[in-house]
């Protein structure tokens, strides 16, 4: 993750001594003081009221995702399974968790040719294609995207909300990269809650929305503490009560994760001794990430037979590799997916580890890999140079 | 929980600086160094080799229990559901998790008249009674018992192992109270692993055993860090690989919980600067718990119409209240379970909160409550006095 953030550590220690509770159980939904601080953060972010009792804390956003996907699951088989729409490419937590809880995975495809956007037409196509095969219950949107790095335009988010309301789908908004937005003027990020609120009463009271946030991303990258939250909106109180009851079986989220989350949603304020250092560190991390997003985008696009959409947000680039037929044949001969073959060769020749696109899903016949943009600028430049050398020689070998 | 343990905090900080990793992800099964330290702890405890690769770390023992009970679950209905034998009374995590994962709960009863022991006959009766209703897959044993506080004799453990092997059941050994044993000369505790090993090759290679341990109990009580481990024995490597794959979706257990666990399984050693303070603190906590176990046992048994088995281990007393018919009638009139009615009256009249036995399960027509023995000796004496006052006046009122 990006850095050891000195200010955050100091601040976490401050919180720790303030609470003096890291060794004890908390309320099973998390400490009230942290849930209240989360609701203030959301209020400040969106300009919309947030009720702290609709917020539960989790062992990273991951646990919240798992609880939500479990909540809608059924013990049914075949057409009685709960259907969950997920993007392709997607962060594999979603496919894995659907599989874990017997949910039926409904793929909708992001449009690579239009900067990984997604259209209402594609959502309709995906839902229609599984008619009678499951009971559609939810749609997952990752914004900013993982592994694809796009930031969704407001119009697109409105279309998604309309689609979810029309089809009575719960919207799971994976918004863990909300602080990783690199061109906020050109590609601004907004929460689904805010966009929903702006659509007025014919929509705002009708969408069951679950929004996720984490300590593990942003400028923080404090992933080892396992802190995260989920805000629920418009849930039937009886359903929410059942979810909260199910959550109580885990006893409580890790206290240090709760403390770290509190440090993040309630950072140093102007006039406080560590404010200026905090701002400097946060801005340094985010501006370096922006630079690395640009470096990665430019470097990847300068390579022949490689194309990459701009990294507008999150922490990844997901370039397409246009593999020649001979490389695909060689991969088949070895019993490997073509992009896996490419990535393995890169690892063996250069010691650079990237993740094959087949792990995230991709349009049939296209090949990608995911790389983070987390190493230092110097290292990213070196790595891009190494990838280029490998790529050119690989392409030559199999052309 | 029992105390703020100074030495452990100091030691945790030492570990923390040694690892310097609390903000990062670890391997999804936990840090190798901690898993190795756990295996050394088990080796030293039992005198039997432990393979660190059979150990996975978890967000408290709770997460490990959930993963094990999920692993054996099926999406089937009725007779195709996985059957799990659990003790009655039991710690309600087991009934809740079975319900969560569609498992069929098979109740076996602990024998209150014989110090909450359990017999092979009762296990057979329980299993026979559900024939054709489910596919029995596992048996849960809590030792030392929660909420019942008994420490199982070796002969009883051998019977359980034979029963599990004969019926091809995985044994989930909840051994989180292994350091809370108050009369080790009279009622010694042994791990199921050790007892199994002593039974020789006709059993030792045949039982699928999962043993659980936690940072939340013992002399530590560091429950907020959510540290725990599970050791697997004799699992089919393909099954174990699937379990480990499923565990990887959660990313990793909380790092601070891993660090706390390491401090517990690898405590200060003779010659190290904090060794004597560590020993003093540990022994003080455990000896105070022993005193409180005795005080609670004596006080409860001195009350009319109340009986309590000795608290041999764990942190709880689970006395039986012999409620008069009029009290039972009054509870029914209010639509409350009789023991719930009793506990609510105690709470309202004395401000003392104990948990009704109906939350743990009990023999039909018997009534209990669970109280911890965690407050200070002074407070426990006061609380017992208050309970006695309430109890005598309650019994008088309804006699």
């Amino acid at each position: 993750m990006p850095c050891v953030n000195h200010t955050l550590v100091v601040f976490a220690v401050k919180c720790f001594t303030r609470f003096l509770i890291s060794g004890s159980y908390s309320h099973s939904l998390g400490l009230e003081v942290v849930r209240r601080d989360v609701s203030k953060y959301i209020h400040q972010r969106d300009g919309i009221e947030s009720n702290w009792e609709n917020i539960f804390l989790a062992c990273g956003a991951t646990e919240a995702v798992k609880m939500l996907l479990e909540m809608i699951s059924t013990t049914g088989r075949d057409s009685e399974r709960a259907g969950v729409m997920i993007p392709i490419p997607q962060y594999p937590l979603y496919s894995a968790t659907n599989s874990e809880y017997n949910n039926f995975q409904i793929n909708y495809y992001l449009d690579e040719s239009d900067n990984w956007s997604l259209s209402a037409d594609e959502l309709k196509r995906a839902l229609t294609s599984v008619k009678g095969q499951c009971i559609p219950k939810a749609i997952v949107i990752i914004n900013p995207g993982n592994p694809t790095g796009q930031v969704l335009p407001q119009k697109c988010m409105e279309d998604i909300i309309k689609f979810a309301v029309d089809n009575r789908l719960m919207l799971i908004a994976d918004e863990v990269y909300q602080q990783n937005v690199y061109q906020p003027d050109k590609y601004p990020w907004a929460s689904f809650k805010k966009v929903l609120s702006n659509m007025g009463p014919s929509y705002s009271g009708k969408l069951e929305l679950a929004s996720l946030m984490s300590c593990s991303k942003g400028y923080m990258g404090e992933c080892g503490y396992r802190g995260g939250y989920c805000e629920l909106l418009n849930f039937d109180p009886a359903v929410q009560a059942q979810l909260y009851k199910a959550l109580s079986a885990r006893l409580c989220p890790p206290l240090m994760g709760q403390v770290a989350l509190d440090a993040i949603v309630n950072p140093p304020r102007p006039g406080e001794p560590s404010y200026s250092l905090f701002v400097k560190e946060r801005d340094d991390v985010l501006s370096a990430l922006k630079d690395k997003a640009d470096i990665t985008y430019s470097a990847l696009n300068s390579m022949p037979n490689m194309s990459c959409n701009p990294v507008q947000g999150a922490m990844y680039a997901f370039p397409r590799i246009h593999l020649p037929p001979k490389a695909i044949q060689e991969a088949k001969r070895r019993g490997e997916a073509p992009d896996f073959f490419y990535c393995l060769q890169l690892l063996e020749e250069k010691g650079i580890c990237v993740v094959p696109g087949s792990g995230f899903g991709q349009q049939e016949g296209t090949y990608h890999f995911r790389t983070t943009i987390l190493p230092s600028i110097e290292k990213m430049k070196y790595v891009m140079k190494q990838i280029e050398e490998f790529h050119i020689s690989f392409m030559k070998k199999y052309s």
Side-chain angles (χ1 to χ4, degrees), chain A:
Chain A
M1 303 310 296
C3 71
V4 177
N5 192 303
H6 170 74
T7 310
L8 260 182
V9 170
V10 169
F11 203 72
V13 169
K14 186 177 136 191
C15 293
F16 174 69
T17 49
R18 170 178 156 209
F19 296 141
L20 260 177
I21 39 58
S22 61
S24 305
Y25 292 125
S26 71
H27 187 285
S28 59
L29 301 175
L31 293 163
E32 184 178 325
V33 62
V34 180
R35 293 165 75 198
R36 284 186 183 273
D37 282 349
V38 168
S39 76
K40 283 178 205 154
Y41 164 82
I42 294 170
H43 184 191
Q44 194 165 23
R45 182 193 71 191
D46 294 338
I48 307 163
E49 281 298 326
S50 167
N51 179 349
W52 70 273
E53 291 180 283
N54 290 335
I55 290 155
F56 69 86
L57 310 188
C59 188
T62 301
E63 188 190 37
V65 167
K66 292 187 74 171
M67 291 304 293
L68 293 166
L69 291 178
E70 187 185 14
M71 177 179 70
I72 57 168
S73 70
T74 70
T75 55
R77 289 180 185 171
D78 306 324
S79 64
E80 292 169 13
R81 292 163 70 194
V84 179
M85 301 186 73
I86 65 169
I88 300 295
Q90 54 103 33
Y91 175 54
L93 169 66
Y94 293 99
S95 49
T97 306
N98 279 326
S99 162
E100 184 174 357
Y101 294 132
N102 192 43
N103 293 339
F104 186 100
Q105 175 177 326
I106 308 169
N107 295 335
Y108 67 84
Y109 286 86
L110 303 176
D111 184 357
E112 184 166 15
S113 71
D114 189 18
N115 203 22
W116 298 115
S117 75
L118 77 107
S119 71
D121 285 348
E122 170 56 13
L123 294 179
K124 272 175 211 145
R125 182 209 61 74
L127 197 61
T128 310
S129 75
V130 298
K131 203 163 179 154
Q133 294 179 57
C134 64
I135 305 168
K137 289 198 179 175
I139 179 168
V140 173
I141 306 282
I142 311 174
N143 181 40
N146 177 2
T148 41
Q150 83 282 20
V151 175
L152 292 177
Q154 179 153 334
K155 168 72 175 66
C156 176
M157 294 171 75
E158 289 170 2
D159 289 347
I160 292 166
I161 289 169
K162 284 178 192 165
F163 175 82
V165 170
D166 291 347
N167 293 284
R168 298 173 52 95
L169 300 172
M170 167 174 76
L171 175 57
I172 300 177
D174 180 338
E175 300 182 320
V176 298
Y177 295 102
Q178 60 191 255
Q179 298 183 349
N180 295 98
V181 179
Y182 305 120
Q183 293 168 280
D185 296 334
K186 209 169 158 191
Y187 306 110
W189 178 86
S191 72
F192 268 100
K193 186 182 181 186
K194 185 167 185 177
V195 173
L196 177 67
S197 165
N198 289 343
M199 287 169 75
S202 55
Y203 287 101
S204 63
K206 286 189 186 156
L207 180 71
E208 283 179 317
L209 175 64
S211 166
L212 305 160
M213 177 56 178
S214 164
C215 301
S216 305
K217 315 298 173 189
Y219 59 90
M220 307 80 73
E222 298 290 349
C223 44
Y225 290 105
R226 314 306 299 125
Y229 77 74
C230 176
E231 186 189 30
L232 303 171
L233 211 68
N234 298 325
F235 276 67
D236 182 318
V239 171
Q240 192 161 328
Q242 282 296 317
L243 176 63
Y244 282 6
K245 189 177 170 186
L247 282 163
S248 73
R250 65 178 178 168
L251 294 172
C252 70
L255 268 287
M256 287 304 283
Q258 298 189 42
V259 167
L261 183 65
D262 196 69
I264 288 159
V265 295
N266 185 16
R269 314 233 163 244
E272 290 182 356
S274 52
Y275 178 72
S276 58
L277 179 58
F278 164 72
V279 169
K280 187 189 173 313
E281 287 195 348
R282 181 194 62 193
D283 293 351
D284 283 356
V285 171
L286 290 176
S287 108
L289 281 169
K290 182 188 178 334
D291 290 349
K292 291 181 282 188
D294 293 343
I295 289 164
T296 309
Y297 166 74
S298 303
L300 291 170
N301 276 310
S302 75
M303 300 178 202
N305 297 309
M306 179 96 81
S307 57
C308 185
N309 279 318
V311 183
Q312 302 170 347
M315 299 171 164
Y316 315 102
F318 196 68
R320 179 168 173 187
I321 13 173
H322 302 267
L323 292 175
K326 271 192 192 162
I328 295 168
Q329 278 162 27
E330 176 59 18
K332 281 191 180 145
R333 199 186 63 74
R334 295 170 182 237
E336 292 168 6
D339 50 6
F340 180 86
F341 168 59
Y342 177 94
C343 294
L344 201 63
Q345 295 303 306
L346 173 60
L347 179 63
E348 284 184 358
E349 285 186 29
K350 296 290 188 182
I352 294 170
C353 182
V354 296
V355 189
S358 41
F360 305 91
Q362 53 199 349
Q363 283 280 8
E364 180 80 26
T366 69
Y367 306 106
H368 301 78
F369 65 80
R370 187 188 83 165
T371 177
T372 71
I373 58 167
L374 296 175
S376 67
I377 291 181
E378 215 165 75
K379 212 176 261 178
M380 278 310 292
K381 282 183 180 165
Y382 174 77
V383 164
M384 284 298 135
K385 197 83 207 145
Q386 294 294 303
I387 290 179
E388 186 174 24
E389 270 184 33
F390 162 80
H391 182 75
I392 287 168
S393 109
F394 181 94
M395 287 293 166
K396 202 169 165 188
K397 188 169 174 188
Y398 294 106
S399 67

